[in-house]
Amino acid sequence: MFESLRRARLQREGLSCGKVRRKHQDGDLVDELRTQPAVKVVVFTAFFGVLGLIMKMAAAAVPGTVQPQATAYLCAAAIGGAMVVHLFVALREEVEDNVDLLLVLGTLLLQFGLSVIMLEFATQKGWNGALPILALPHGLCPMVLSVIMGRKIGLFGAIYSTLLGAIVFMAVNQITYLACSALIGFLVVLFTTRVRRRHRLFMAGLYVGTAAAIFSLILSQASSAVDQAMIGRIIGIPFAIGVITGLAVGGAMPVIEAVFRVTTEVTWLEQADLNHPLMKRLSIEAPGTYHHSLIVANIAEAAAESVGANAAMTRVCAYFHDIGKLTKPEYFIENIDPAHNPHEDLTARMSALILIAHVKDGVDLAIKNKLNTSIIDVIEQHHGTTLAWYFYKRALDQKAEILRLVEEGKSTEDDVPQVSEDVFRYPGPKPQFKEAAIISLADAIESSSRSLDKPTPARVEALVDEIVQNRMADGQLDECDLTIAELARVKASFLKTILSMMHSRVKYQKATEVPSTTIIVPKDVAAQQGSLQVNDGRTIAMTSPYLVSGETPPSERRKRAPRKPPASAA
């Protein structure tokens, strides 16, 4: 409210246009709720309350089962307490956001709820033995969490869906439940490693369904004699549940991403489409920036892979990190016309303001085009709070020149400009995560490598070291989680990728550069077609690079030329 009043006052005074830049943050209140410990307490309390309700429903699904007693609830609370400790000891960073915590716990409850429905259906159909247990969707929670949040969270889901499920579904054989749930859950995490295409979820369901069918057949054969009529059901139902789980997760993934505001690697690859309207504009209006963005994407993606960061996310964010230059593309060096430099008509401060503004312009364009929030974060952070050194140095030189004129009496002290380093710094913030830091370094290194006259390996390595050291000394990497060891691998990746892009090639000679051999033969021989036979019996084709002339050979000319009479004869 106070900001609105201040803006209205400035507008009345003619100091503001009244427009407000778009912001992609949710606001202070929402940000506070996402990290507030009290909200975590509420989420855990709700989880245990719903879990107790599901325990009652699971007991009611099987006729003749006694409702859970206090001992069962106490055991469930003990395992739930261990789960909470596990989260805060080993996975604190992964569930620091309350939305992520809600996703993890909500997926567990969703699997238990669907399992209750499936157990009730199996009871009505009269299935017995291990079949009702293998008909439960054991792979749902591990698959969702593994694809969206990574293998560590996927394994967490497999472990606690097994342990808590054994307490929830006391109406079935608990040993069989533990074995089936652990086997299927861990196999799901194994088969959903680096899912880059949606069909991989179907394939994962296919593999898990096959393993569950085989395990179901082995259990049935080991427990008792199996009727041949039941073989198809014993194999087919677990197989079908695995396939259906893969299809369901693949279909529900866009909805989950939209509700919980997360992005999977599959979606990142879908967004890496250069036909996006902004990328098309960039290729037409700022071709130099477009090419620069592609090179930065290649460099940054390779570096992200070397440290285990999200390579697909890094590539996409690098594509869009400089879209703010679309506002004034002609003011950036990669797009400047060599015949006219617009900065020659501007002061150093104005030039710096134009360059620095491309960050805010980029955020504005990204919000307008509804780009991913991680892309917007990278646009904001890819320059951090670095100094626009070229124009800052130019401003200092201009100030020194005016001071010299003041000393000579040719100018007054009022003409001396005030040069503040803060004016020439980007607004930030500094890179907050690995991918943003890698793109920031790749952006600076790619730009600087273009200025190398002879990009030898030693010079490129010195350039990479210098830029990284300067960024560290300036504190630009203080707020991201890149370690020194990871930074060393990033530098090695930068060096390898840049050298491969700047490799030298063999110089090919043009047709006009091929040396020609002129064979001078008598005129009557030159008139022959196709080839020329010389004295030693060789035949030479009358084509390039041999040029055939009908002139008299020099040796013949020397023989026929009249000899000059000696001086004594005269």
Side-chain angles (χ1 to χ4, degrees), residues 68-329:
Q69 302 300 311
T71 305
Y73 290 115
L74 185 61
C75 291
I79 296 176
M83 179 189 70
V84 174
V85 173
H86 187 176
L87 281 173
F88 283 100
V89 170
L91 303 171
R92 175 183 292 272
E93 294 182 358
E94 283 78 0
V95 295
E96 185 177 4
D97 192 327
N98 292 327
V99 174
D100 295 334
L101 178 63
L102 184 62
L103 173 61
V104 173
L105 300 181
T107 308
L108 274 171
L109 294 177
L110 177 63
Q111 176 175 314
F112 293 151
L114 294 176
S115 296
V116 169
I117 296 174
M118 197 64 200
L119 182 62
E120 186 175 1
F121 177 79
T123 302
Q124 293 175 356
K125 292 296 182 180
W127 298 347
N128 52 24
L131 188 57
I133 300 174
L134 283 161
L136 304 181
H138 298 288
L140 178 64
C141 176
M143 185 177 290
V144 171
L145 296 182
S146 178
V147 173
I148 292 181
M149 303 185 67
R151 298 173 67 182
K152 290 171 63 176
I153 302 295
L155 287 173
F156 173 87
I159 292 170
Y160 289 99
S161 64
T162 299
L163 296 177
L164 287 173
I167 304 298
V168 171
F169 300 100
M170 292 186 300
V172 299
N173 189 316
Q174 293 177 315
I175 296 178
T176 305
Y177 182 92
L178 286 170
C180 295
S181 181
L183 174 66
I184 295 174
F186 278 71
L187 284 177
V188 164
V189 176
L190 175 65
F191 293 136
T192 52
T193 302
R194 295 184 63 84
V195 174
R196 300 175 69 90
R197 294 290 185 273
R198 295 195 186 276
H199 78 275
R200 284 293 303 273
L201 293 173
F202 168 74
M203 296 304 297
L206 186 67
Y207 298 148
V208 171
T210 302
I214 296 173
F215 187 62
S216 176
L217 181 62
I218 294 173
L219 279 178
S220 60
Q221 293 286 350
S223 59
S224 61
V226 180
D227 186 4
Q228 295 298 324
M230 292 287 294
I231 293 295
R233 184 179 298 174
I234 290 172
I235 297 176
I237 291 175
F239 178 79
I241 292 297
V243 174
I244 292 172
T245 300
L247 290 173
V249 172
M253 197 60 64
V255 178
I256 298 174
E257 292 182 41
V259 171
F260 293 96
R261 299 179 65 178
V262 294
T263 309
T264 63
E265 192 166 2
V266 176
T267 304
W268 280 121
L269 289 173
E270 291 174 351
Q271 293 181 2
D273 184 8
L274 295 178
N275 289 318
H276 190 279
L278 284 176
M279 294 305 296
K280 282 189 172 182
R281 281 188 59 193
L282 204 64
S283 65
I284 296 171
E285 300 175 25
T289 302
Y290 176 78
H291 180 262
H292 162 74
S293 298
L294 297 185
I295 301 301
V296 170
N298 291 334
I299 298 173
E301 182 184 32
E305 287 181 349
S306 69
V307 296
N310 192 329
M313 169 186 168
T314 304
R315 170 172 283 274
V316 177
C317 292
Y319 281 159
F320 293 93
H321 79 283
D322 267 346
I323 57 173
K325 294 181 180 179
L326 283 170
T327 306
K328 295 181 178 67

Side-chain angles (χ1 to χ4, degrees), residues 377-398:
D377 289 335
V378 168
I379 294 174
E380 280 186 325
Q381 300 169 19
H382 78 278
H383 278 294
T385 58
T386 55
L387 181 67
W389 173 254
Y390 176 82
F391 292 107
Y392 178 64
K393 181 66 168 57
R394 181 177 162 190
L396 291 177
D397 292 341
Q398 291 174 350

Side-chain angles (χ1 to χ4, degrees), residues 227-491:
D227 186 4
Q228 295 298 324
M230 292 287 294
I231 293 295
R233 184 179 298 174
I234 290 172
I235 297 176
I237 291 175
F239 178 79
I241 292 297
V243 174
I244 292 172
T245 300
L247 290 173
V249 172
M253 197 60 64
V255 178
I256 298 174
E257 292 182 41
V259 171
F260 293 96
R261 299 179 65 178
V262 294
T263 309
T264 63
E265 192 166 2
V266 176
T267 304
W268 280 121
L269 289 173
E270 291 174 351
Q271 293 181 2
D273 184 8
L274 295 178
N275 289 318
H276 190 279
L278 284 176
M279 294 305 296
K280 282 189 172 182
R281 281 188 59 193
L282 204 64
S283 65
I284 296 171
E285 300 175 25
T289 302
Y290 176 78
H291 180 262
H292 162 74
S293 298
L294 297 185
I295 301 301
V296 170
N298 291 334
I299 298 173
E301 182 184 32
E305 287 181 349
S306 69
V307 296
N310 192 329
M313 169 186 168
T314 304
R315 170 172 283 274
V316 177
C317 292
Y319 281 159
F320 293 93
H321 79 283
D322 267 346
I323 57 173
K325 294 181 180 179
L326 283 170
T327 306
K328 295 181 178 67
E330 67 277 6
Y331 284 89
F332 296 88
I333 185 64
E334 64 268 24
N335 305 311
I336 288 179
D337 184 358
H340 173 66
N341 187 347
H343 292 285
E344 294 176 354
D345 304 326
L346 302 175
T347 62
R349 182 173 181 176
M350 182 57 67
S351 294
L353 290 176
I354 292 174
L355 262 63
I356 292 172
H358 88 271
V359 172
K360 293 182 179 179
D361 293 336
V363 172
D364 192 69
L365 276 173
I367 297 173
K368 183 178 179 181
N369 287 269
K370 299 180 180 180
L371 295 184
N372 191 285
T373 54
S374 296
I375 298 177
I376 302 175
D377 289 335
V378 168
I379 294 174
E380 280 186 325
Q381 300 169 19
H382 78 278
H383 278 294
T385 58
T386 55
L387 181 67
W389 173 254
Y390 176 82
F391 292 107
Y392 178 64
K393 181 66 168 57
R394 181 177 162 190
L396 291 177
D397 292 341
Q398 291 174 350
K399 180 179 180 180
E401 178 64 20
I402 295 176
L403 286 174
R404 185 183 64 80
L405 294 176
V406 170
E407 292 176 357
E408 295 177 356
K410 298 179 181 179
S411 182
T412 62
E413 293 185 357
D414 294 337
D415 296 329
V416 179
Q418 297 296 323
V419 180
S420 173
E421 186 176 304
D422 295 337
V423 177
F424 292 86
R425 282 192 176 273
Y426 284 88
K430 298 175 182 178
Q432 304 292 306
F433 47 96
K434 289 181 182 180
E435 292 81 3
I438 290 171
I439 292 173
S440 175
L441 293 172
D443 180 39
I445 290 171
E446 197 281 333
S447 302
S448 300
S449 65
R450 297 291 176 183
S451 63
L452 291 176
D453 294 332
K454 295 181 180 179
T456 61
R459 291 186 178 184
V460 174
E461 184 176 6
L463 175 69
V464 172
D465 288 337
E466 180 184 2
I467 291 176
V468 173
Q469 292 297 330
N470 289 341
R471 289 296 176 95
M472 292 179 65
D474 197 26
Q476 298 301 317
L477 304 179
D478 291 352
E479 299 178 13
C480 69
D481 52 350
L482 268 178
T483 65
I484 298 297
E486 289 174 337
L487 197 57
R489 293 199 294 272
V490 167
K491 288 164 58 178

